[in-house]
């Protein structure tokens, strides 16, 4: 730098000073190399000497034999020369050194100023940091105030929106018909404002009082219009020939009307509900009373009475003033086409139209009228219960109580009418069909999840079951009290009493299979026991065992055939009569084989018994008897079999049963003759000459097949 350069005079003076300083320079300090110092430790001399001897220059000097003193002086002289040269270099560079010194001083001042600036910056940054913290605190505070204002604004906005009553709502509630969709929408809004106003009134909100008057007047107007509309629909039910389901469906579209009344004007809601209950109660009672009365006009005129029992003989005579009985009591115990009333197609088919049936002069059994009457009740009852639950918003016991207040009078009328009919009813098939109609209708209501008629179904069954049991017990008693000697001429054909039982039992068993009932099984078991006893009593009236068996087989076969048409093959009744028929058939086969072949059969049985005991030799002397049996069978068996077949076919009314008996008899005959062969082949009789006259068993089987009846 220019200002730091030395002048010529200054340089001369500076050099002079340096020279003088050099002249008076202190003596050279050799440090550790100075061996003249007192501080030199003699113990370390050997170490230093050893180290110096290792030096390359020293080694070289020792090798060459240089004089160390001379060499030391030479070195000292060299060092002084180098020192002088170094001083000259220093003096030569003195200006640069001075310049460097000035530059360093300038840098120090600059760095000092920079240090001051940085200190100032540091203090400024400290103040900025505190300002930032202040701003952050202010930001948090402002954010909190903003959130609070937004929360207040949302509440106030909701409050204002809920409290403000728009002019559109006022005009619609006052002027629009209740059937308009817009009225329904504004009614929902009004209901919401009423509820909100109630909520605010509990909080003692002052703003609520500003709109309370308007809301109350709108509520009164809405309640008035809704009341008028609903009552008008209810009154329309009362018009003659009105299909009340149409206005009911209309009411369901506006079910919110009743909800509005219930929430805001319970007095009016109760008035509407009571009016509906009173109206519908009268409508249902009037409708079903009229319908039931007209149904009875198309019922069969000929009905069973107390004398039309299973054990009453057809020849029984009545008094002069007694009414004529049914043309045939068998129809009382036969289900026939009457059982179709339980088929799904007819059970849930259209109800009967009485005036149409009257014009066609059509008549129906009681169970058909009962089905039509109760299906109408089922259909209307289910629909009414669903309407009440939906429109009046009731459930559980409340719904059942409301339903009973409407339908109770009608149901009581039904029960009274049924009780009156049953008190003079002796048609057990009709009562049993009615029981199963109710059981199926109850299952339908359970499937539809409608509990409204459950108690009614139970009440009806409590009337029907005792009457059915009573009629069945009367029939059982009539069979028990039957006197076979008063039943007219004896006949081996199936008896009309057993036919009545068979028809009745098959009907009851087939119907009961769908809804099994233990009470029915018990009563049928008692009836079966009495019928079996009756058949045995009747059979005892025949003088010969053969006729007794024919009578028993004909009756068992007939009852079994009728039962198997309807009842299951594994039912108790079918199995019981199968066992009885099999036992009596086997006994009858033995009975018809005895006259023509009794001697041979007795001989075979006697011989087989002795063979088992090993005493066959007792018959050794019966050669004449055996000869007679062999020749007698050979000469007459064909005629005997032919006569037997004709006799069996004449004795049994069921051709199939007679054929089966003939086949069983011929099979049994072949078995006996095979046993006869077996006995005569024993050593005791092997020497008899008559054995050659025996008919070959296979030839006999071929001949017997010719007599087997063909269908």
């Amino acid at each position: 730098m220019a200002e730091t350069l030395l002048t010529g005079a200054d340089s001369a003076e500076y050099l002079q000073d340096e020279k003088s300083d050099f002249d008076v320079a202190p003596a050279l300090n050799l440090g550790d190399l100075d061996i003249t110092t007192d501080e030199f430790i003699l113990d370390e001399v050997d170490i230093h000497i050893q180290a110096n001897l290792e030096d390359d220059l020293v080694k070289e000097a020792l090798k060459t034999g240089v004089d160390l003193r001379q060499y030391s002086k030479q070195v000292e002289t060299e060092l002084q020369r180098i020192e002088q040269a170094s001083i000259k270099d220093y003096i030569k560079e003195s200006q640069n050194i001075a310049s460097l010194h000035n530059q360093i001083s300038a840098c120090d001042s600059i760095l000092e100023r920079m240090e001051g600036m940085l200190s100032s910056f540091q203090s400024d940054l400290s103040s900025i940091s505190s300002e930032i913290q202040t701003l952050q605190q202010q930001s948090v505070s402002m954010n909190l105030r903003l959130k609070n204002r937004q929360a207040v604004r949302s509440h106030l906005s909701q409050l204002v929106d809920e409290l403000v009553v728009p002019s559109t709502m006022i005009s619609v509630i006052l002027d629009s018909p209740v059937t308009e969709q817009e009225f329904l929408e504004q009614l929902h809004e009004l209901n919401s404002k009423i509820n909100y106003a109630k909520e605010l009134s509990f909080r003692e909100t002052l703003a609520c009082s500003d709109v309370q008057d308007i809301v109350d007047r709108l509520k009164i107007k809405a309640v008035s219009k809704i009341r008028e509309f609903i009552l008008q629909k209810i009154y329309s039910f009362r018009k003659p020939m009105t299909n009340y389901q149409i206005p009911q469906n209309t009411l369901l579209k506006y079910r919110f009307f009743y909800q509005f009344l219930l929430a805001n004007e319970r007095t009016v809601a109760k008035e509407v509900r009571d009016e509906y209950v009173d109206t519908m109660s009268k409508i249902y009672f009037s409708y079903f009373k009229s319908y039931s009365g007209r149904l009875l006009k198309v019922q069969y005129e000929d009905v069973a009475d107390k004398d039309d029992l299973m054990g009453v003989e057809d020849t029984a005579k009545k008094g002069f003033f007694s009414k004529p009985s049914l043309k045939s009591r068998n129809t009382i115990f036969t289900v026939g086409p009457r059982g179709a009333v339980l088929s799904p197609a007819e059970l849930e088919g259209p109800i009967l139209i009485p005036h149409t049936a009257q014009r066609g002069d059509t008549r129906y059994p009681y169970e058909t009228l009962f089905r039509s009457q109760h299906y109408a009740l089922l259909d209307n009852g289910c629909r009414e219960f669903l309407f009440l639950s939906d429109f009046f918003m009731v459930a559980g016991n409340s719904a059942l109580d409301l339903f009973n207040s409407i339908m109770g009078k009608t149901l009581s009328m039904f029960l009274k009418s049924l009780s009156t009919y049953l008190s003079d009813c002796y048609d057990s098939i009709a009562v049993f069909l009615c029981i199963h109609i109710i059981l199926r209708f109850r299952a339908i209501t359970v499937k539809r999840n409608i509990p409204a008629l459950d108690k009614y179904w139970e009440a009806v069954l409590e009337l029907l079951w005792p009457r059915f049991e009573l009629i069945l017990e009367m029939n059982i008693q009539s069979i028990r009290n039957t006197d076979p000697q008063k039943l007219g001429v004896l006949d081996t054909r199936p008896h009309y009493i057993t036919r009545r039982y068979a028809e009745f039992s098959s009907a009851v068993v087939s119907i009961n299979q769908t809804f099994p009932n233990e009470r029915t099984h018990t009563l049928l078991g008692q009836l079966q026991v009495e019928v079996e006893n009756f058949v045995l009593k009747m059979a005892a009236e025949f003088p010969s065992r053969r006729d007794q068996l024919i009578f028993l087989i004909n009756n068992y076969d007939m009852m079994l055939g009728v039962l198997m048409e309807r009842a299951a093959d594994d039912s108790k009744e079918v199995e019981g009569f199968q066992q009885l028929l099999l036992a009596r058939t086997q006994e009858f086969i033995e009975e018809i084989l005895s006259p023509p072949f009794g001697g041979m059969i007795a001989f075979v049985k006697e011989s087989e018994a002795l063979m088992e005991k090993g005493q066959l030799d007792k018959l050794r002397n019966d050669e004449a008897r055996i000869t007679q049996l062999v020749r007698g069978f050979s000469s007459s068996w064909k005629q005997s079999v032919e006569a037997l077949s004709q006799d069996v076919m004449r004795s049994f009314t069921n051709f199939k049963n007679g054929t089966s008996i003939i086949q069983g008899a011929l099979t049994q005959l072949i078995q006996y003759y095979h046993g006869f062969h077996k006995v005569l082949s024993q050593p005791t009789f092997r020497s008899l000459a008559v054995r050659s006259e025996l008919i070959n068993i296979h030839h006999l089987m071929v001949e017997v097949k010719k007599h087997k009846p063909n269908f």
Side-chain angles (χ1 to χ4, degrees):
M1 298 174 60
E3 64 272 17
T4 60
L5 296 176
L6 300 176
T7 61
D10 293 334
S11 300
E13 184 178 356
Y14 178 75
L15 291 173
Q16 187 63 38
D17 291 339
E18 290 291 330
K19 185 179 180 181
S20 60
D21 289 338
F22 177 74
D23 292 337
V24 294
L28 182 63
N29 184 13
L30 297 179
D32 293 338
L33 297 177
D34 188 2
I35 61 174
T36 61
T37 58
D38 296 335
E39 297 178 358
F40 189 82
I41 301 173
L42 293 178
D43 293 337
E44 296 180 356
V45 171
D46 293 336
I47 297 173
H48 285 288
I49 291 174
Q50 187 64 31
N52 289 330
L53 289 175
E54 296 295 329
D55 187 81
D56 292 339
L57 292 176
V58 175
K59 287 181 180 180
E60 184 66 25
L62 291 175
K63 286 180 181 180
T64 56
V66 177
D67 188 1
L68 293 178
R69 291 189 181 88
Q70 185 64 33
Y71 184 74
S72 174
K73 289 180 180 180
Q74 183 181 348
V75 170
E76 183 177 356
T77 304
E78 185 66 23
L79 288 174
Q80 288 178 355
R81 186 183 63 77
I82 291 171
E83 182 181 1
Q84 291 298 324
S86 176
I87 291 171
K88 289 179 180 180
D89 289 339
Y90 181 78
I91 293 171
K92 183 179 177 179
E93 297 294 333
S94 61
Q95 292 184 355
N96 292 334
I97 293 172
S99 175
L100 179 60
H101 174 73
N102 293 331
Q103 290 178 3
I104 290 172
S105 298
C107 285
D108 286 342
S109 63
I110 292 171
L111 290 174
E112 186 177 358
R113 290 198 301 274
M114 289 183 66
E115 182 181 5
M117 291 173 62
L118 291 174
S119 298
S120 175
F121 287 159
Q122 184 178 8
S123 62
D124 291 342
L125 288 174
S126 299
S127 62
I128 289 172
S129 176
S130 62
E131 290 178 1
I132 290 174
Q133 291 179 352
T134 303
L135 289 174
Q136 185 178 7
Q137 293 174 354
Q138 292 176 354
S139 175
V140 171
S141 176
M142 291 175 67
N143 188 33
L144 181 60
R145 289 199 298 272
L146 177 61
K147 289 182 179 179
N148 291 337
R149 290 180 180 180
Q150 288 177 342
V152 171
R153 179 181 178 181
S154 65
H155 287 296
L156 287 176
S157 176
Q158 180 182 358
L159 177 66
V160 172
D161 290 342
E162 293 290 344
L163 285 179
V164 170
V165 181
S167 58
T168 304
M169 177 185 290
I170 297 174
S171 62
V172 169
I173 295 296
L174 294 178
D175 302 328
S176 296
V178 296
T179 55
E180 295 289 337
Q181 181 64 27
E182 191 177 10
F183 180 86
L184 188 60
E185 293 173 356
Q186 293 300 327
L187 188 66
H188 277 87
E189 291 293 329
L190 177 60
N191 189 57
S192 176
K193 292 185 182 299
I194 292 173
N195 293 332
Y196 195 72
K198 289 179 181 178
E199 182 181 348
L200 292 179
S201 64
F202 289 127
R203 302 179 186 174
E204 299 181 356
T205 304
L206 297 178
C208 180
S209 59
D210 295 339
V211 297
Q212 188 67 48
D213 183 57
I214 297 175
V215 170
D216 289 343
R217 284 190 287 177
L218 284 177
K219 180 181 73 173
I220 293 171
K221 182 63 177 178
V223 167
S224 174
K225 294 177 72 172
I226 291 172
R227 174 184 176 276
E228 182 180 357
F229 171 75
I230 296 179
L231 290 179
Q232 182 182 1
K233 291 297 178 184
I234 294 174
Y235 294 151
S236 68
F237 296 167
R238 303 176 180 177
K239 295 179 181 179
M241 306 300 292
T242 298
N243 184 358
Y244 60 87
Q245 296 174 10
I246 296 176
Q248 270 188 340
N249 293 335
T250 303
L251 287 176
L252 284 177
K253 290 172 58 179
Y254 303 102
R255 62 175 63 87
F256 181 72
F257 287 172
Y258 183 78
Q259 182 180 347
F260 182 84
L261 293 179
L262 195 63
N264 300 289
E265 197 63 54
R266 287 186 173 271
T267 305
V268 176
K270 185 177 184 304
E271 177 191 3
V272 168
R273 177 169 160 173
D274 292 345
E275 193 66 34
Y276 178 85
V277 169
D278 182 64
T279 299
M280 293 307 297
S281 176
K282 292 177 180 177
I283 288 174
Y284 281 125
F285 181 78
S286 174
Y287 166 73
F288 280 109
K289 183 178 181 181
S290 172
Y291 183 67
S292 300
R294 283 180 288 154
L295 279 179
L296 292 177
K297 294 180 181 179
V298 296
Q299 183 182 357
Y300 280 134
E301 294 180 359
D302 291 333
V303 295
D305 59 23
K306 62 182 179 179
D307 294 319
D308 293 316
L309 299 174
M310 199 175 295
V312 175
E313 61 274 14
D314 281 339
T315 57
K317 295 181 180 180
K318 298 189 176 183
F320 180 77
F321 295 102
S322 61
K323 66 177 182 178
S325 182
L326 295 179
K327 294 180 180 180
S328 174
R329 285 192 179 86
N330 291 336
T331 58
I332 304 173
F333 307 102
T334 304
V335 65
R338 297 169 68 182
V341 74
L342 297 178
S343 64
E346 190 167 337
L347 187 69
E348 299 184 57
I351 63 175
L352 294 178
I353 309 300
H355 62 271
T356 304
Q358 282 180 311
R359 283 203 301 266
D361 198 21
T362 307
R363 292 290 182 268
Y364 299 95
Y366 178 76
E367 65 272 5
T368 301
L369 309 180
F370 183 85
R371 195 281 318 174
S372 182
Q373 180 188 47
H374 281 80
Y375 188 68
L377 174 65
L378 168 70
D379 193 40
N380 285 276
C382 290
R383 185 181 293 108
E384 185 64 30
F385 183 80
L386 292 174
F387 174 82
L388 296 175
S389 301
D390 198 0
F391 186 78
F392 291 104
M393 298 178 299
V394 290
N397 291 331
S398 299
L400 295 177
D401 291 342
L402 184 59
F403 178 83
N404 289 329
S405 64
I406 293 175
M407 300 296 294
K409 192 175 179 182
T410 301
L411 299 180
S412 298
M413 183 262 293
F414 271 20
L415 292 174
K416 184 178 180 181
S417 174
L418 178 62
S419 178
T420 302
Y421 169 79
L422 291 176
S423 63
D424 195 35
C425 174
Y426 297 91
D427 188 350
S428 53
I429 294 290
V431 176
F432 196 63
L433 286 172
C434 290
I435 288 174
H436 278 266
I437 288 171
I438 294 299
L439 292 175
R440 284 160 173 76
F441 282 167
R442 184 171 64 178
I444 291 174
T445 56
V446 171
K447 185 178 180 181
R448 295 181 183 180
N449 196 24
I450 304 295
L453 293 170
D454 288 353
K455 290 184 177 180
Y456 174 75
W457 301 139
E458 294 298 328
V460 173
L461 291 175
E462 287 176 3
L463 291 175
L464 292 172
W465 273 118
R467 189 62 189 181
F468 176 71
E469 293 173 356
L470 175 63
I471 298 173
L472 210 53
E473 288 170 357
M474 291 174 65
N475 281 284
I476 293 172
Q477 189 64 37
S478 71
I479 295 175
R480 185 182 296 129
N481 297 337
T482 299
D483 185 358
Q485 296 181 354
K486 296 181 180 180
L487 295 180
V489 180
L490 292 175
D491 192 346
T492 57
R493 290 176 297 180
H495 200 274
Y496 57 83
I497 291 181
T498 58
R499 179 169 292 279
R500 292 174 187 172
Y501 162 76
E503 294 287 354
F504 176 77
S505 182
S506 66
V508 173
V509 170
S510 62
I511 295 171
N512 198 57
Q513 285 173 350
T514 53
F515 281 85
N517 184 274
E518 193 59 35
R519 294 157 71 178
T520 305
H521 285 304
T522 303
L523 290 170
L524 284 179
Q526 296 175 8
L527 181 61
Q528 182 178 352
V529 170
E530 293 302 327
V531 169
E532 291 175 3
N533 292 336
F534 165 76
V535 172
L536 293 175
K537 286 193 297 183
M538 284 297 300
E541 296 294 316
F542 291 92
S544 67
R545 181 58 180 167
R546 178 180 175 279
D547 290 340
Q548 292 177 1
L549 291 173
I550 293 174
F551 177 80
L552 291 174
I553 292 173
N554 275 329
N555 281 275
Y556 290 153
D557 177 64
M558 180 275 297
M559 289 188 286
L560 184 61
V562 174
L563 280 169
M564 291 184 68
E565 289 179 2
R566 294 180 176 274
D569 292 343
D570 59 349
S571 66
K572 181 180 177 182
E573 291 77 12
V574 170
E575 291 179 351
F577 285 116
Q578 281 177 337
Q579 294 173 2
L580 290 172
L581 178 62
L582 182 62
R584 299 290 80 79
T585 300
Q586 193 63 37
E587 185 181 351
F588 179 75
I589 289 174
E590 297 289 338
E591 187 72 23
I592 60 175
L593 289 177
S594 181
F597 309 108
M600 182 190 69
I601 294 172
F603 177 78
V604 170
K605 291 181 178 179
E606 182 182 357
S607 300
E608 289 177 347
L610 292 172
M611 284 172 61
E612 290 180 0
K613 299 177 181 179
Q615 300 174 357
L616 191 59
D617 291 340
K618 290 183 178 182
L619 299 177
R620 184 180 297 274
N621 298 324
D622 287 352
E623 181 178 353
R625 177 186 176 191
I626 295 172
T627 301
Q628 182 183 0
L629 291 175
V630 172
R631 291 174 179 173
F633 182 86
S634 300
S635 62
S636 64
W637 74 269
K638 289 185 179 181
Q639 295 83 352
S640 298
V641 168
E642 184 66 30
L644 181 147
S645 298
Q646 293 177 3
D647 184 40
V648 168
M649 296 309 294
R650 286 194 302 267
S651 299
F652 296 101
T653 56
N654 184 351
F655 179 75
K656 184 178 179 181
N657 183 42
T659 303
S660 176
I661 291 174
I662 293 174
Q663 186 174 355
L666 295 178
T667 302
Q668 189 67 29
L669 175 61
I670 291 174
Q671 289 178 353
Y672 279 133
Y673 198 70
H674 178 69
F676 191 49
H677 266 263
K678 186 177 178 182
V679 170
L680 294 183
S681 65
Q682 297 299 314
T684 305
F685 306 112
R686 196 172 293 171
S687 60
L688 294 178
V690 77
R691 289 183 66 248
S692 61
E693 299 180 23
L694 287 171
I695 301 174
N696 183 276
I697 191 68
H698 297 290
H699 176 70
L700 179 64
M701 292 174 64
V702 172
E703 291 295 325
V704 163
K705 285 183 179 180
K706 295 179 182 180
H707 293 81
K708 181 179 179 182
N710 296 317
F711 289 101

